[in-house]
Amino acid sequence: MSGSIRRSWLRWFAAGAIAIVFVLFFTLGGAHVLTVAALRAHLALLGRFIALHPVESFALYFALYVVATGLSVPGAAALTLGAGALFGLAEGVVLVSFAASIGASIAFLVSRFLLRDWAASRFPAMFERVDRGVARDGAFYILSLRLVPAVPFVLINTLAGLTRLDLKRFYWASQLGMLPGTIIYVNAGVGLARLGEGGEILPPRLLIGLLLLAILPIAATRLRDALARKRIYTRWQRPRRFDRDVVVIGAGSAGLVSAYVANALRAEVTLIEAGHMGGDCLNTGCVPSKSLLRSAREGLSFTEARMRIREAITAIAPHDSVARYASMGIDVRQGRAMIETPWSVRVDGEIITTRGIIIATGAAPIIPPIPGLAEAPYVTSETIWDMAELPRRLVVLGGGPIGCEMAQGFARLGAEVTLVEFADRVLLREDDDVSAMIRDALSADGVRVLTGHRAVRADRDDAGFALIAESQGNSSRIAFDRILVAVGRKPRAEGFGLEALEIAMGDAGVVETDAYLRTILPNILACGDVSGPFQFTHAGGYQGGFAALNALFGGIWRFRPDYRAMPAVTFTAPEVARVGLNASAAREAGIVFEETRYELADLDRAIIEGTPQGFVSVLTVPGKDRILGATIVGADAGEMLAGFTIAMQHKLGLKKLLGAIYPYPTRSEAVRAVAGAWRQKHASARGLAILEKYHAWRRG
């Protein structure tokens, strides 16, 4: 018999033996024996036996504990309390500490023998990454998990066995990690043994033990975090004093809000910006693009539109200026920041020490590796505003929000616009019917929309530049004078010293953070486009406030942003506004929903202004008025969305929205209308029948 076959038979034999033990355990009432109630009932009898046979009793109890934990049968908590009740604090701690660690090691080896090869063969890539992490940090993570009793120890034993963590490191990490909880549980068991002595209802020792058990998860989590911080910061010398409480890198929406909030809380703040104050939104994003769209709707020329853009930026710039933030008492530096250590940042040759660092460096346009593109006259969402003249022929590469907005805006200004999108529809994050409406709107404004087309290369001949695109095996040549690249944005995470600090980056290049916006170094946080998960100005501003709070108070209390009601607006005509889930996202997530829809063609304000296109769609929990998400397509949809955003943020249902008073004639009445449509669908037929009979009775 070969070695692999023999090993396979041994696995089946071991698995069968363990299964038999479990069956016997539950069949013979083991689950009732290893309980606190059973311990209390037999405490006196067990105590007398131990008094007569102390050594044998200790060894027998030790063996029972090892077997129970090694085979992962229920009852470890009762056995731990019993060790304190029967043997006292010192002997009980010694017994449980070593028996639990040996039993955990047995469970670890059983898991490795039975499941490791199977798991590694099924998920090779995942376990390769896991094993690399285990080689570096395995023992520390076992220690961290053992400190938190809320994490089931049987789960830790089983999962650790699937890794390549060596047994010695696992054993000592388990021994140390379980020790605080062991002492508290055994001490509670000592109190349990004295329950009722001297007329006391709850002996002080038991009372203290119960109190410690209650606070153990919180204390253990804090201890784990403290150990983690100490471990990851060992490479650097922490300053004895700091120049600043917070240094914020980046003066876009996220950075400005971070600096503002920290300063409002009387912290000493330095704000560093290498480019223009206000970031992309003010200078190259939201402000110029929305100004251009407004100019296009009003029929202005490109020259007039450019003038209006400059005027808008000039008017808004003081809100984000160096002068304004300096007047608040914030130290504003315009230069390139380099993070030297977790507590120091270099700017213009000066080292600034700080308790916390907030990275808010934003994102930049992605330039795809299309052959010939670098030699072509391409622009991005940042450089398109530098064009002195309206291009006669403009190709827009990308059918996302930026691409659709700019395609429609430049078409209305008079350019011949072709939009090229690789996917089979524009605005992929929206529902199919929404994408179709926007495509029709673009086409109505003269935009040639080519979905399902892959950009192959940019060519140049005597006639000028052209984009070669392929679709279903066919090739198209699209002539252009300018090409706008709008295929997405990538985080600006390089060149700030993050690599030397080993701060992790995600697959999309984002700075990886936890739910509290902290990086692997907890005093360094990231917010806005550089960390995601959204690339919205308002999302960056929202995160910025939480980043400031956690940078200042994270060691005492942490504040977690809530993204359930994150709105998004595409400023095409008609606008597309969404908050929460839409139908496609809900289906993809497997969430059951009910949709209520209201057509804006029935809204008085839309009829008055001649803008009846669009609808309001609300998703709710089936049979309930709890809002899962809302989508609005129509004129001023972004303004109308606020009601649903507030309702979701504060957990208000459609019934509450229906009961509000809306001025007439406004577009906000559509919110009441869709809530009314939902209410009508859910009216009780039986209740209405009873009311009908009641009114008939009242009429005589």
Side-chain angles (χ1 to χ4, degrees):
M1 183 181 295
S2 68
S4 60
I5 296 176
R6 185 183 299 110
R7 187 177 179 87
S8 178
W9 275 105
L10 285 174
R11 285 199 185 100
W12 281 109
F13 177 79
I18 293 173
I20 292 172
V21 169
F22 267 86
V23 170
L24 291 175
F25 176 81
F26 288 101
T27 302
L28 300 177
H32 300 291
V33 173
L34 297 182
T35 63
V36 176
L39 173 66
R40 284 285 302 156
H42 300 91
L43 197 59
L45 178 63
L46 292 171
R48 288 194 295 270
F49 181 84
I50 291 171
L52 295 173
H53 309 283
V55 177
E56 295 87 343
S57 300
F58 188 93
L60 185 62
Y61 202 96
F62 189 97
L64 175 63
Y65 203 111
V66 170
V67 171
T69 53
L71 296 178
S72 303
V73 297
L79 285 172
T80 305
L81 292 170
L86 296 171
F87 298 101
L89 180 60
E91 291 183 356
V93 168
V94 171
L95 186 154
V96 172
S97 180
F98 285 94
S101 300
I102 294 172
S105 299
I106 293 173
F108 168 88
L109 292 173
V110 169
S111 171
R112 174 164 294 177
F113 179 69
L114 294 179
L115 302 173
R116 164 70 194 183
D117 291 345
W118 172 84
S121 64
R122 290 289 299 272
F123 311 102
M126 182 184 75
F127 274 92
E128 183 180 353
R129 293 194 301 271
V130 168
D131 286 333
R132 285 200 300 268
V134 163
R136 184 181 67 250
D137 303 316
F140 171 76
Y141 284 122
I142 295 298
L143 175 63
S144 301
L145 292 171
R146 293 295 194 196
L147 285 170
V148 184
V151 182
F153 285 178
V154 62
L155 183 63
I156 299 173
N157 301 336
T158 302
L159 295 180
L162 301 181
T163 71
R164 296 195 181 280
L165 180 67
D166 66 81
L167 178 61
K168 182 178 179 181
R169 296 171 70 198
F170 174 82
Y171 176 87
W172 285 111
S174 299
Q175 182 102 40
L176 293 173
M178 290 190 288
L179 187 58
T182 295
I183 295 172
I184 293 174
Y185 269 87
V186 172
N187 182 67
V190 175
L192 183 67
R194 298 178 182 177
L195 186 63
E197 292 181 3
E200 293 177 315
I201 298 176
L202 282 179
R205 184 184 289 268
L206 179 57
L207 189 63
I208 293 172
L210 294 174
L211 179 62
L212 290 174
L213 285 174
I215 67 173
L216 177 60
I218 299 174
T221 302
R222 298 289 185 181
L223 177 59
R224 180 195 62 190
D225 291 347
L227 290 173
R229 287 194 298 271
K230 183 175 181 180
R231 176 178 173 276
I232 61 179
Y233 286 120
T234 53
R235 292 169 48 195
W236 302 282
Q237 180 67 41
R238 178 185 171 94
R240 293 185 177 180
R241 62 175 305 278
F242 300 95
D243 303 319
R244 300 287 184 270
D245 295 293
V246 180
V247 167
V248 181
I249 303 175
S253 175
L256 290 174
V257 173
S258 295
Y260 181 92
V261 171
N263 177 73
L265 295 171
R266 297 298 185 266
E268 291 291 326
V269 182
T270 288
L271 174 63
I272 305 172
E273 172 57 57
H276 297 290
M277 294 287 288
D280 295 330
C281 185
L282 170 63
N283 299 286
T284 61
C286 312
V287 172
S289 64
K290 277 49 182 179
S291 178
L292 180 135
L293 292 174
R294 179 61 182 268
S295 298
R297 282 196 291 270
E298 295 178 359
L300 301 185
S301 68
F302 183 65
T303 301
E304 292 170 324
R306 291 186 74 230
M307 184 179 301
R308 175 177 280 185
I309 289 170
R310 287 194 296 269
E311 291 172 351
I313 294 174
T314 301
I316 296 174
H319 303 168
D320 302 339
S321 65
V322 172
R324 183 189 178 209
Y325 279 78
S327 70
M328 299 178 190
I330 296 173
D331 173 37
V332 183
R333 307 289 185 95
Q334 294 198 278
R336 185 75 176 176
M338 178 64 67
I339 304 175
E340 302 276 335
T341 75
W343 303 283
S344 63
V345 178
R346 181 186 296 275
V347 57
D348 295 333
E350 179 184 351
I351 294 290
I352 302 172
T353 57
T354 176
R355 289 174 49 225
I357 299 170
I358 297 175
I359 303 164
T361 49
I366 294 173
I367 308 300
I370 298 174
L373 181 62
E375 291 73 40
Y378 79 86
V379 291
T380 68
S381 58
E382 292 184 349
T383 60
I384 194 171
W385 316 111
D386 298 331
M387 294 191 309
E389 298 179 352
L390 178 71
R392 184 171 65 86
R393 300 168 301 180
L394 175 68
V395 167
V396 177
L397 192 59
I402 295 175
C404 288
E405 290 178 5
M406 292 296 96
Q408 189 176 51
F410 276 90
R412 288 184 168 189
L413 288 171
E416 297 177 13
V417 180
T418 301
L419 186 150
V420 178
E421 168 57 48
F422 177 70
D424 60 357
R425 59 189 180 92
V426 297
L427 299 182
L428 274 179
R429 294 185 179 178
E430 308 301 336
D431 290 331
D432 290 350
D433 57 344
V434 176
S435 295
M437 286 189 68
I438 299 306
R439 177 175 183 144
D440 290 345
L442 294 174
S443 298
D445 281 319
V447 178
R448 180 187 178 200
V449 181
L450 300 178
T451 54
H453 281 66
R454 180 175 66 91
V456 177
R457 66 183 184 277
D459 275 352
R460 184 178 187 181
D461 56 20
D462 294 340
F465 289 94
L467 177 70
I468 309 302
E470 290 183 353
S471 176
Q472 299 180 349
N474 298 316
S475 180
S476 300
R477 184 180 181 86
I478 310 162
F480 65 85
D481 299 303
R482 291 275 187 170
I483 181 169
L484 167 61
V485 179
V487 296
R489 295 171 64 80
K490 61 181 180 180
R492 290 191 183 98
E494 298 178 352
F496 300 98
L498 305 186
E499 300 85 355
L501 298 179
E502 297 183 0
I503 291 177
M505 304 292 176
D507 293 337
V510 297
V511 177
E512 288 191 352
T513 62
D514 62 12
Y516 305 97
L517 308 176
R518 303 178 305 172
T519 68
I520 191 173
L521 299 169
N523 75 307
I524 299 181
L525 302 92
C527 57
D529 290 359
V530 75
S531 61
F534 308 99
Q535 290 191 343
F536 307 140
T537 296
H538 49 276
Y542 176 72
Q543 289 181 328
F546 285 90
L549 291 171
N550 288 325
L552 295 174
F553 308 113
I556 304 171
W557 195 259
R558 296 190 296 261
F559 303 85
R560 182 173 184 168
D562 180 359
Y563 301 125
R564 289 175 299 176
M566 180 60 67
V569 182
T570 300
F571 292 90
T572 48
E575 291 182 1
V576 179
R578 171 174 41 84
V579 63
L581 296 172
N582 57 16
S584 58
R587 292 190 190 100
E588 185 177 343
I591 296 174
V592 180
F593 64 89
E594 179 181 342
E595 182 178 12
T596 304
R597 190 172 173 121
Y598 174 77
E599 299 295 331
L600 294 180
D602 296 327
L603 183 68
D604 290 359
R605 180 62 178 268
I607 294 171
I608 292 168
E609 295 188 345
T611 54
Q613 300 83 9
F615 60 86
V616 179
S617 169
V618 180
L619 306 188
T620 52
V621 175
K624 299 182 179 180
D625 74 332
R626 184 164 70 86
I627 303 170
L628 297 173
T631 298
I632 305 175
V633 180
D636 298 323
E639 307 297 331
M640 298 164 63
L641 189 68
F644 293 112
T645 303
I646 294 171
M648 289 188 67
Q649 190 78 34
H650 297 282
K651 300 180 181 179
L652 304 176
L654 287 178
K655 295 176 185 176
K656 295 289 186 182
L657 293 182
L658 179 61
I661 301 173
Y662 300 85
Y664 179 87
T666 62
R667 296 188 184 277
S668 64
E669 285 189 295
V671 177
R672 180 182 61 191
V674 76
W678 177 90
R679 190 71 186 91
Q680 190 172 11
K681 282 197 305 183
H682 293 81
S684 169
R686 183 178 180 184
L688 291 175
I690 292 173
L691 283 175
E692 187 176 1
K693 291 179 180 179
Y694 168 76
H695 294 314
W697 172 74
R698 289 292 303 271
R699 291 194 303 269

